[in-house]
Amino acid sequence: MFKGIYNGKQYHAADIPAVLARAWSAGVDRIIVTGGSLEESREALAIAETDGRLFCTVGVHPTRCKEFEESGDPEQHFRALVSLAKEGIEKGKVVAVGECGLDYDRLQFCPSEIQKKYFEKQFELAAVVKLPMFLHMRAAAEDFSQILDRNKHRFCAGVAHSFTGSAEDRDRLLLFDNLFIGVNGCSLKTSENLDVVKGIPIERMMIETDSPYCEIKNTHAGINFVKTTWPSKKKEKYDQDSTIKGRNEPCLVRQVLEVVAGCKGIADIDQLSKALYHNTCRVFFPQDLDSAADALLESGSDAL
């Protein structure tokens, strides 16, 4: 979509520079580009190399895990992931293993047994390269938690991103003391979702967009807490100074922050922003946590 292509049809020119400019202007400090397959992880690294504020992950999404076996040599496919992760670490760009996990809402793309096999395999990748994990869990809390428990000593930390589970699922994840819960527009759709988010301690939460997906829509329960908006137009009437209706982008993380603050009854949104950013740095940027994140906490700088 950031290349202007929607469902295979070109609607406008690629506009990543305009998207990034809006993000930096909105107070976004860094962006992690998510890899969901071996090839996508290569592309994510290439994108990350274009700007000092861009970083990426290396891993295989649960719905793509058939690629291990379809490659003809699953072990060689895994070694290619390890090699790519090591290359990206040397370049200072790869900060996590993922996106990996379980997605039982979309079994039509990959059966649960294959998902479980290669979710578990990617803990080996995390152990080899000593990186945190960027995790995905959809309608699979029991199996996800069991695999996580078996492998909890093989990864230093992680985030279960785009969380849409129940209060019971939330509490199950919070039992893992090295795991954070990631919140975006998909986490804030219903009043039940907002109640679940209320129960995530700030010190265990991260916020994200998952763009181009998971925008906060006018039909979502959290929309009443949104204070900051950008001009938007349909993709057919593209304007580089406007966002695209139906396409999420990084600047809109500000709206996620506002909804989290609103549903938790937090008035000091800047302090909330700094606390959440600090969590992100603890996991993905520990090498500069003491300098960058602590300076932000102390300075009053408004960064998301």
Side-chain angles (χ1 to χ4, degrees), residues 66-139:
K66 283 201 291 189
E67 75 172 44
F68 281 96
E69 298 185 357
E70 289 172 351
S71 72
D73 187 342
E75 199 54 42
Q76 174 57 34
H77 199 74
F78 176 76
R79 287 196 296 271
L81 281 170
V82 173
S83 176
L84 181 63
K86 287 181 174 178
E87 176 193 341
I89 291 167
E90 285 178 14
K91 291 175 174 176
K93 289 296 181 181
V94 172
V95 296
V97 168
E99 175 179 356
C100 58
L102 300 176
D103 189 324
Y104 291 178
D105 272 346
R106 290 178 280 185
L107 292 172
Q108 69 270 29
F109 296 113
C110 186
S112 60
E113 290 308 308
I114 291 178
Q115 287 192 32
K116 287 189 285 187
K117 178 179 180 179
Y118 292 105
F119 177 30
E120 195 125 24
K121 183 70 173 173
Q122 290 180 80
F123 284 93
E124 185 179 330
L125 173 57
V128 168
V129 297
K130 296 181 171 56
L131 284 179
M133 300 191 78
F134 188 74
L135 300 165
H136 177 104
M137 183 185 83
R138 280 281 184 280

Side-chain angles (χ1 to χ4, degrees), residues 184-186 188-189 194 214-231 248 251-264 266 269:
N184 60 31
C186 288
L188 306 166
K189 288 182 178 180
L194 296 184
C214 293
E215 65 176 334
I216 297 175
K217 298 180 180 178
N218 289 333
T219 54
H220 288 182
I223 192 67
N224 294 331
F225 295 120
V226 171
K227 297 180 175 66
T228 307
T229 58
W230 280 258
N248 201 5
C251 68
L252 297 171
V253 73
R254 176 82 196 185
Q255 296 183 342
V256 180
L257 175 68
E258 290 168 351
V259 177
V260 169
C263 79
K264 280 183 164 286
I266 295 172
I269 198 165

Side-chain angles (χ1 to χ4, degrees), residues 19-298:
V19 169
L20 291 178
R22 272 192 291 276
W24 311 139
S25 296
V28 173
D29 200 54
R30 308 177 204 200
I31 294 172
I32 300 173
V33 183
T34 311
S37 66
L38 175 57
E39 187 52 41
E40 215 175 68
S41 297
R42 288 191 180 113
E43 291 177 22
L45 178 56
I47 292 170
E49 288 184 80
T50 65
D51 191 294
R53 296 161 289 189
L54 298 180
F55 301 87
C56 65
T57 72
V58 169
V60 181
H61 190 281
T63 60
R64 318 264 190 83
C65 276
K66 283 201 291 189
E67 75 172 44
F68 281 96
E69 298 185 357
E70 289 172 351
S71 72
D73 187 342
E75 199 54 42
Q76 174 57 34
H77 199 74
F78 176 76
R79 287 196 296 271
L81 281 170
V82 173
S83 176
L84 181 63
K86 287 181 174 178
E87 176 193 341
I89 291 167
E90 285 178 14
K91 291 175 174 176
K93 289 296 181 181
V94 172
V95 296
V97 168
E99 175 179 356
C100 58
L102 300 176
D103 189 324
Y104 291 178
D105 272 346
R106 290 178 280 185
L107 292 172
Q108 69 270 29
F109 296 113
C110 186
S112 60
E113 290 308 308
I114 291 178
Q115 287 192 32
K116 287 189 285 187
K117 178 179 180 179
Y118 292 105
F119 177 30
E120 195 125 24
K121 183 70 173 173
Q122 290 180 80
F123 284 93
E124 185 179 330
L125 173 57
V128 168
V129 297
K130 296 181 171 56
L131 284 179
M133 300 191 78
F134 188 74
L135 300 165
H136 177 104
M137 183 185 83
R138 280 281 184 280
E142 187 170 346
D143 286 352
F144 182 92
S145 297
Q146 286 178 2
I147 291 172
L148 210 60
D149 191 51
R150 282 201 298 273
N151 294 278
K152 61 188 175 186
H153 302 302
R154 301 177 82 188
F155 71 109
C156 53
V159 59
H161 98 112
S162 195
F163 181 76
T164 58
S166 65
E168 183 183 359
D169 296 341
R170 172 201 67 204
D171 294 343
R172 184 178 275 174
L173 295 184
L174 289 172
L175 291 174
F176 296 95
D177 59 9
N178 60 343
L179 191 68
F180 291 74
I181 297 178
V183 172
N184 60 31
C186 288
S187 316
L188 306 166
K189 288 182 178 180
T190 67
S191 56
E192 290 80 11
N193 290 153
L194 296 184
D195 285 339
V196 172
V197 168
K198 281 182 196 174
I200 304 173
I202 296 303
E203 63 271 17
R204 299 289 298 280
M205 184 190 290
M206 294 184 196
I207 57 172
E208 57 167 348
T209 58
D210 201 32
S211 58
Y213 313 109
C214 293
E215 65 176 334
I216 297 175
K217 298 180 180 178
N218 289 333
T219 54
H220 288 182
I223 192 67
N224 294 331
F225 295 120
V226 171
K227 297 180 175 66
T228 307
T229 58
W230 280 258
S232 64
K233 293 189 176 181
K234 292 181 178 179
K235 57 185 179 293
E236 294 85 357
K237 297 181 178 179
Y238 174 77
D239 173 357
Q240 70 170 11
D241 295 324
S242 299
T243 62
I244 302 286
K245 290 183 186 296
R247 183 187 77 171
N248 201 5
E249 60 177 74
C251 68
L252 297 171
V253 73
R254 176 82 196 185
Q255 296 183 342
V256 180
L257 175 68
E258 290 168 351
V259 177
V260 169
C263 79
K264 280 183 164 286
I266 295 172
D268 190 344
I269 198 165
D270 289 347
Q271 192 57 35
L272 173 62
S273 167
K274 288 163 205 148
L276 295 170
Y277 184 74
H278 191 77
N279 293 344
T280 306
C281 287
R282 276 181 63 192
V283 174
F284 299 116
F285 305 102
Q287 71 282 0
D288 64 7
L289 179 63
D290 292 339
S291 54
D294 286 345
L296 278 165
L297 284 165
E298 291 164 10

